[in-house]
Every structure is written in C-alpha cells, then in structure tokens.
C-alpha cells in the first residue's frame, strides 16, 4: 500500500472569505472565514477507490475540487506521484490536467448542450494534444463509448446531450474522464441523479475502468450504503474535517465515532422488517464560520463530556487501519 | 439602523455620481471647442469681432473656465435656478424649467400610470389563460401597437381626431396641440377638463405603444410563477383560482415589477422628446431639442442635470422597493 | 371499500408529438389510517396518479377513464367548486417535495398555514395564526417561527413547516410526494419520524410517493410498484419485499444497497424505460425482462390476486 500511493493529501485547508461591506470591513478588525475544509489528510493507492462521505455542507465537494485546484486551496499539500500539485505553476498544472480528471453529479449541467458527443469527447483530446486527426479521435471515442456500454458507438457520436437519457448522459460524462487515461479521478456524486436501476451499471463501469487503467479514484458521496459496494476505504466528514477513516466494512458495522454511528442509524434500509434504530442526535449542523470549540460535533453528541467542549480531538489510530477523531471512541 | 446606514451610503455615492455627470456636461458643452462657444453660431461672418466679444461678455464666456465659469455653473445647479439662457437678452432658466417640467410630468406621468394600469392586468390575465383566446388577443394587440413607430401612430391620431373628425362630423375631438386653450378657462374644474382634453391624444398614444411590452413582461413572469410548486400547493389548499393568481403568483412577481416601474421613470423623459414635438406640448423634451439646435447650452445642461437626478432617485427608489417587497433581500445587508 | 379506492385509472397527456400514456388502468385501495407507498422510478406515473386524485393535472393532462372513490364519493364527478371547498385540504392534503419551492418565498410560514385554515373554516385571522403556531409546536419547530419566511429556515425546518400546513385542517388523507428527497439522511430520518408519529397518532391515511424503496420500507404498511404507467405489483409491504413475484420488483429491490448484512451483488436492469408515447405492446416491462416469454410481448398481463394474501401481481409468469 505504502509503495504504490498515488495521491497523498496532507492537512488540506480551504477557507472562503466572508464578504462584508466596505465600511464594515474598515470597522471590524477580524476578517471572517467559512472553514469549508479544515485540515483534511488521506491517501489513495493505485487501483483504489477511496470514499469521502458526509452530509451537504461538510466540505466533501470542496475537498475534491481543491485537490484538483479547480478552486485554489488555502494551504496543505497534495502529493501526486512525486509532485505537490499545490506548488505547480499554471503551465505545469495545465500539463498535469490530462492525468487528473473529474466526473460531476449532474449530467444535465456538465455536458454543453450545444456540443455533439463527438465534440464533447474530442475537446480534451485536442487541448492536451493526445489525438489530432479526426480518424484518431473517432477511434478513441468509439472505443471508450463501447466500454461505457453505449453501443453501437457510431450511433452516439453525432447526437447531442438532449437526445440522450439521464443514464446515457452520465455515461458520456464518465467516458469524457476516462478517454484521457487519467491516473487520478475525482467523482462527485456520479450516480446520485440516476434511477436505482440505472445506477448499478454505471457503478460497475467505473469499477471496471479503475482496474483497467490502474488509476486512483476519489468517490465523493452522501450515500454511505452504496459506498459499501464501491469503496474499500472511506473517510467520514463532518464540518470540514474527517472524523473517522478506515475500511468501509469495519466502519459500517462498528463505527467508532458517535457522528458515524448517528449517520449510519439514520440511513433507511430497504427492508420493512428490519429493526428501526433510534436517531440519537438532535439539532442541525453548526455554522462553519464559527464552528463550536473543541470537538465540532460535541453540541449534538449524546456522549459528550466536559473535555469535548474544550480540547479538539486529533485523528488517532483506533484499531486495525482505522483512525478516529474522538476523545471517547465507541468500542 | 441597517437601513439608515445603507441609505446614507447610497446617498453619498449618488452625490458623487451626480457630480461626475454634471462635470462631464460642463466639459462637453463648455470646454470642447467649437461646441463650447455658441457665439460662433449666432454671429454672421460679416459682423465685427467686437460684437462677438460683447456676446461672450454677456454670457460670461470671456471669464476663465476654471474656476469662474465652472464654479458659477455648479452654484447655479445647486440653487436649482440653472442660471441664464444663451440668448439676447439672457433669460432666467429657473421659472421656465419649473412650468415645462410640470407639463412633462403631467403628460408622461399619466402615460406611465395608464400604461402600467392597463398593461399589467392584461398581462396577468393573458398569462393565467395561456394559449387561450384571451391570451392570443391581448398579445396580438400589444405586439401590434408596440411594433408601430410612435410618431406614426401619433400623426394618425392628429390627422383623424383633430382634423378629419372636424371635416367629416363638424366636431374637433381633440386640439392640435398645446397644454390648454388660450385664454385659459377661469373655472378650475373646466380648466382641468381642458388640460385633460389636450393631454388625451399624447397620453392615449403613449399607452397604446407601450402597454404591449408591459403586458408581455407580466405575462411571461406570471407563466413562470404559475409553474412554481407553491402555486400547486396553494391550489391544493383549496384557494380560489383568483386568490391563487393574485395572492400568490402576482405577489411573488411584484418585486421585479415594482423595480421596473421605478426604473421606467427616467425613460419617460427621453420618450418625451418625440411626443412633445408632435403634439406641440411645451415640456422639457421639446425645449431640449430647441436648445441643442441653437447652442443654448445652459438649458441643455439643466435638462440633463434633472434627467440624471431623476435617474438616481429612481434607482434608489427601485432598490428600496425591492427590499420592502421581497423579504429575501435585506436592504443594507450584502450577501 | 377503503377510504380511497382508485379503480382502473387512466391518465394521458397531450403533447405535440402525440399522447403520453402516463398512467394506464391502475387500481389500488388505501384503508383508513393506512400508509400506502407508491413506488417507481422517474417517469413511471406516480406523481401523475397523485395529481389525478387531487384534480390538479396540468392543462394538457386528462383522466381518460376510471373512478376515484373517496369516502364513497366519486371525486372525478364532483362539481369543481364543491371539490375545492369540501375535499381539497379539508379531507385530502399534500406534502410536496419541498426543499424550497412548496412555500411561497414572499409570505411568512404563519400566513401560509393560516390561509389554508381560513379557506375552510370560519375563524378570525388571530385564531388561525394561533392554530398555525400550535401546529408548528406539534412538528417540533416552535410556534415562535410563525413569522419566519421560508429562506430563514433550514431544509429540515421547512419540510416540517410543510407538514404542519398539511395537518392544518385535520385531513383524513395526506399525499406525500417525495417528502424527504433533497434532505440529508439525519434530517430525513428526523422528518420521517415526525410524519410517522403524527400519522399514527392522528390516525391519518397516507399515500407516500417515492423512488426510494428504503424510505417507503420505513414508512408504509402497503405498497404499489409502478413501471411505465402501470402498477405491476401491490400488497402488504413485508410480503412483497420478502417475496417479490414480479421480475421488475425483484430487480428494483435488488438494486437498492443496504447498510445492514453482508454485501450482496446489486442487481442491474439492462436497457432503458420505454417512451410512453408508444409503449411496448403486451407487458410494458418485457423488452427489459430477463424472463420474458413469447406471450409477454403480445398479451397484457392482468392483475392476479395471490390467494389468502394481500398481494396482487401483473405478470404472465405467475399464472
């Protein structure tokens, strides 16, 4: 695992400035920040799909985009095969882009409605000088569309996004990422807009491509149940931080962080006879401009003690291959 | 508290903008040669140069531009008296501006109120009956008159209601122009009626050519609003169709409409130019054209100053109205 | 006869290219105090069914045939004004998918709840607002929020306010259309608990419409599975989830991941749902069905009652 690490994120932070009026900014000494991502660290190996799970606003999307520098992170390191992405100058970063790809959630938004499938797939190839002539491009395109189960591929090349169903569009979005033979891919909720019956196939296509290209894959999602079927390891995020990280099966069956426990208890189960678990936490997520002192989860935590409100817990080992940021981890 | 701070900030920036505008007006009309010196326009080449010097002295053009002419210019605007015309003898602009502005506001105010009062309800009605006969009829009529050039419609009006009605029926439905008959009627009630009769032509034509755009705008906004989930919810609650339409749909599009109305006010002044010329209505539009042609710069500057002032007031008004009508916008709080 | 009986309902939409056969000959019953789930994927006709019951179909939508009986009266034949006054909200209210849009952004929550009350009851404004406050207490967001606007509430609170509004005139039946979609899991669980508790406590019948079989499993007693405008299987939820007969139900259930138990392979359904302008002949699922026989492409399967069980299935395999 250590030897074939593809991506190593260390202490990544992204603070967004809170906009204030001109006069107000003169009067108040302190500039306020939304701490969207506040010290996130993890690694992803070759052929590995790492999951980042959390509720909306926890910072998982910002993490994914900061790693690819689609938004500039505030600080931290993103070591990708020997170079720190954060330190690259714009030209170096542009050359690096071929090896880094992203798949977005909404195929209705991520595909330009005025471009044919041919153009959508050809654009990155031409920009990165991977293929020049139309014959070469068509060759690559039909190959990847075939791999995505859009058969016969020739029939799809000159269609436009609006002529495709949601499931087909998302396959095109996946194809656009994989046609570049990337070494690292971020997928932000790639199947959450799809109906359940469409989802499985797209998931299997992604799993297959990751093995085939031997790339590293960051899977960002709110759906922890589906994560079990996709990710070997997973990190659970709360208010800009990873609170628990480990093997997906271990975490799902034996959560060590109270937040993970609460999140799992809330997930509905497709079985009417399953025992209904009580929801143990109340209230809603705190404001990321002014997160609670100490452990950020302590105001909602049913097990919180005095120390939790004062001292911030660090991610520390808790069992085999697992780290937890909690003063009193569950056993 | 928040609102007061916001208003203060807006007023300060407004004053700054106004200063920029009037300074530009000064630079364009006084500094740039030869526009700046209207004595050239008036004096025939054969006249002795002393005559020209005399004019320059009467109009104060022989003084240095800065600070004398500029300072006087600013002072004149600040007192709302605008100084004197470039004519012989010079006349004070203030009193004439007052009654011309009043005439313009009467005409265009009635035009705007009429346009909104007719255009909006028709648009809402058409939008709520999308695709039906009412919709097609309203939109057809609105687009037809909207597409007509205003002067053409206005000349037709003059031709039929002031001229042919007299020729054919021996009765002049409306006068050829002016604000009131001469001499004006003594009885105040008859006077109001007389003014209304004079204003009818220009006001009706103004409404005809502009209600269509308002109706179309309101219609499209209502159609959008009617597809919102809260409209379906309101219907499911058992509300009457009329209440769904007005209490929910129309109320939700009111903030942008109020803004539009406020922002239409300065547009009126520019719209005044053609209408006032055709109906010989002594307002500021007509005056502005005449002043431009004769190099009567103080008048041009005074009209433009009032226009800029109106623009700024309208802007402020539209922002405040939006904040009052839409709870999502807190005036003075930046998001 | 139940509280709500839908019998052979068929609803079509007219569009430029033809007639969308959105709902075709569906029947189901909801008993008093019962929670019925109507499940299916996007475009299967579940929301159209709800709008047909509410008589809120868009202009181009039309009920072609069938009957909808509520407390013994045929809703589709009722005079529109009588329907508006006597049925809407008073008897049948709705919780729409309401992240933001089910509440009017320029009216306070209290105004919107009291408006529903005042439409059906002869109360003063103060009395109605007072009741709105009590309802907000009941759903756990507190009466002090009556004067709030939708944008001032979090997603979870907004959805609770919508629930309070649905309860405002003591209906006997609530239609909940994707009531928790777009909410985060923890908030979703809290909102579902509120819905479930109040439904049992006030003995209200409910139809829950959702694509999410997990959510329906947690809230409903009975279920109907829709595919391409038809109900393919319906009955007792525990029985159907344990022993689905229709291949579509089987595959769809298998496509939902669970947080419990070992990881089983997720099922996949190849192909795409049909275009309802020209649905396939026979069973509408047959082009995607792994068990399809000759007969399936020719004959429309009738709904068969499994003896001794609350279980109906429309599939030739079962015969």
């Amino acid at each position: 695992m250590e030897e074939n690490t593809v991506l190593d994120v260390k202490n990544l932070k992204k603070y967004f400035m809170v906009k204030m009026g001109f006069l107000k900014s003169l009067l108040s000494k302190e500039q306020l920040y939304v701490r969207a991502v506040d010290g996130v660290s993890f690694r992803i190996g070759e052929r590995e799909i790492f999951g980042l799970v959390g509720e909306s606003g926890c910072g998982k999307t910002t993490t994914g985009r900061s790693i690819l520098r689609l938004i500039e992170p505030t600080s931290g390191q993103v070591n990708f095969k020997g170079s720190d992405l954060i330190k690259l100058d714009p030209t170096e970063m542009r050359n690096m882009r071929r090896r880094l790809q992203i798949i977005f959630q909404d195929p209705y938004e991520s595909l330009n409605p005025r471009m044919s499938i041919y153009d959508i797939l050809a654009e990155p190839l031409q920009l990165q000088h991977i293929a020049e002539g139309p014959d070469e491009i068509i060759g690559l395109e039909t190959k990847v569309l075939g791999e995505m189960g859009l058969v016969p591929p020739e029939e799809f090349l000159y269609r436009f996004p609006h002529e495709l169903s949601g499931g087909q569009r998302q396959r095109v979005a996946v194809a656009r990422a994989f046609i570049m033979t990337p070494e690292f891919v971020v997928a932000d909720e790639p199947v959450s807009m799809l109906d359940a019956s469409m989802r499985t196939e797209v998931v299997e296509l992604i799993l297959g491509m990751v093995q085939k290209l031997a790339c590293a894959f960051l899977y960002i999602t709110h759906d922890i149940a589906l994560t079990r079927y996709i990710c070997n390891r997973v990190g659970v995020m709360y208010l800009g931080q990873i609170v628990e990280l480990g093997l997906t099966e271990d975490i799902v069956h034996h959560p060590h962080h109270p937040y993970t426990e609460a999140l799992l208890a809330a997930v509905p189960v497709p079985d009417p006879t399953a025992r209904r678990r009580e929801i143990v936490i109340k209230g809603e997520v705190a404001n990321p401009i002014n997160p609670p002192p100490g452990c950020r989860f302590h105001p909602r935590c049913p097990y919180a003690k005095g120390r939790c409100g004062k001292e911030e817990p660090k991610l520390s080992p808790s069992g085999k291959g697992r780290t937890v940021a909690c003063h009193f981890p569950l056993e | 508290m928040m609102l007061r701070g916001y208003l203060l900030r807006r007023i300060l920036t407004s004053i700054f903008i106004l200063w920029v505008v009037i300074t530009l007006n000064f630079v364009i009309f006084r500094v740039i040669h030869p526009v700046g010196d209207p004595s050239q326009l008036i004096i025939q080449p054969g006249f002795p140069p002393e005559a020209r010097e005399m004019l320059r002295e009467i109009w104060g053009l022989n003084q240095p531009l800065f600070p004398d002419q500029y300072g006087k210019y600013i002072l004149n605007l600040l007192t709302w008296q605008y100084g004197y015309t470039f004519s012989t003898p010079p006349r004070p602009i203030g009193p004439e501006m007052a009654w011309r502005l009043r005439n313009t506001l009467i005409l265009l105010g009635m035009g705007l109120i009429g346009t909104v009062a007719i255009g909006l309800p028709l648009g809402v009605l058409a939008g709520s009956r999308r695709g039906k006969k009412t919709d097609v009829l309203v939109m057809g009529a609105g687009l037809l008159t909207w597409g007509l050039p205003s002067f053409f419609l206005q000349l037709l009006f003059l031709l039929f209601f002031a001229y042919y009605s007299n020729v054919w029926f021996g009765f002049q439905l409306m006068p050829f122009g002016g604000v009131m008959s001469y001499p004006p009627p003594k009885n105040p009630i008859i006077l109001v009626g007389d003014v209304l009769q004079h204003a009818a032509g220009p006001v009706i034509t103004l409404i005809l050519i502009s209600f269509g755009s308002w109706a179309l705008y309101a219609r499209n906004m209502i159609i959008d609003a009617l597809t919102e989930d809260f409209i379906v919810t309101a219907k499911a609650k058992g509300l009457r169709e009329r209440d769904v339409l007005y209490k929910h749909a129309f109320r939700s599009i009111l903030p942008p409409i109020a803004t539009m109305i406020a922002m239409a006010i300065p547009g009126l002044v520019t719209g005044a130019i053609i209408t006032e010329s055709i109906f010989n209505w002594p307002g500021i539009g007509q005056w502005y054209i005449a002043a431009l042609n004769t190099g009567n710069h103080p008048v041009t500057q005074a009209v433009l100053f009032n226009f800029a002032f109106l623009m700024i007031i309208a802007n402020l008004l539209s922002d405040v109205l939006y904040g009052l009508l839409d709870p999502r916008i807190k005036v003075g709080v930046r998001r | 006869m139940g509280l709500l009986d839908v019998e052979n309902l068929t609803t079509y939409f007219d569009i430029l290219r033809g007639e969308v056969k959105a709902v075709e000959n569906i029947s189901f019953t909801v008993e008093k105090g019962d929670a019925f789930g109507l499940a299916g994927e996007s475009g299967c006709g579940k929301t159209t069914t709800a709008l047909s019951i509410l008589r809120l179909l868009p202009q181009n939508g039309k009920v072609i045939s069938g009957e909808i009986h509520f407390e013994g009266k045929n809703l589709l034949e009722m005079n529109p004004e009588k329907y508006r006054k006597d049925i809407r909200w008073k008897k049948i209210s709705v919780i729409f998918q309401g992240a933001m849009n089910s509440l009017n952004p320029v009216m306070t929550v209290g105004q919107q709840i009291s408006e529903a009350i005042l439409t059906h009851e002869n109360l003063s404004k103060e009395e109605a607002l007072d009741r709105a406050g009590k309802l907000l207490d009941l759903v756990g967001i507190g009466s002090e929020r009556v004067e709030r606007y939708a944008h001032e509430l979090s997603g979870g609170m907004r959805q609770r306010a919508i629930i309070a509004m649905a309860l405002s005139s003591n209906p006997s039946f609530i239609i909940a259309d994707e009531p928790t979609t777009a909410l985060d899991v923890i908030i979703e669980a809290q909102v579902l608990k509120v819905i479930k508790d109040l439904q049992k406590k006030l003995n209200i019948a409910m139809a829950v419409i959702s694509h999410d079989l997990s959510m329906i499993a947690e809230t409903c007693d009975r279920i109907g599975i829709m595919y391409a405008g038809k109900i393919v299987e319906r009955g007792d939820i525990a029985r159907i989830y344990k022993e689905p007969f229709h291949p579509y139900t089987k595959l769809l259930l298998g496509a939902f991941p669970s947080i419990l138990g070992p990881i089983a392979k997720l099922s996949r359904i190849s192909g795409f749902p049909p275009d309802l302008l020209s649905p396939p002949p026979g069973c509408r699922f047959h082009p995607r069905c792994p068990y399809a026989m000759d007969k399936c492409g020719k004959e429309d399967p009738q709904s068969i009652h499994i003896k001794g069980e609350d279980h109906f299935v429309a599939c030739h395999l079962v015969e």
Side-chain angles (χ1 to χ4, degrees), chain A residues 55-56 165 168 195-198 200-201 204 224 228-229 249 252 263-264 268-270 272 276-277 279 281 284, chain C residues 41-42 154 184-185 189-190 214 217-218 241 256-261 263-269 271-272 288:
Chain A
E55 298 178 276
S56 45
S165 71
Q168 290 171 329
D195 273 320
S197 69
M198 300 282 142
T200 311
E201 273 191 290
E204 283 171 359
I224 196 166
R228 290 179 73 199
Y229 298 76
E249 280 309 282
V252 164
L263 190 67
L264 288 165
V269 178
R276 305 284 152 102
R277 285 169 291 186
I279 312 142
I281 61 169
E284 295 183 13
Chain C
E41 299 180 274
S42 37
S154 68
D184 275 314
V185 272
Q190 291 168 347
S214 303
E218 301 231 330
Y241 276 53
F256 274 85
S258 175
I259 204 80
L260 304 175
I263 301 179
K265 205 168 152 43
L266 290 177
S267 60
R268 50 193 278 182
I269 308 178
F272 298 94
R288 299 175 73 188

Side-chain angles (χ1 to χ4, degrees), chain C residues 73-86:
Chain C
K73 282 167 278 187
N74 188 348
L75 295 183
L76 297 176
E77 280 169 6
M78 202 179 265
N79 161 292
E81 188 60 12
K82 190 171 159 54
Y83 182 85
R84 177 180 77 76
K85 276 195 189 141
D86 295 351

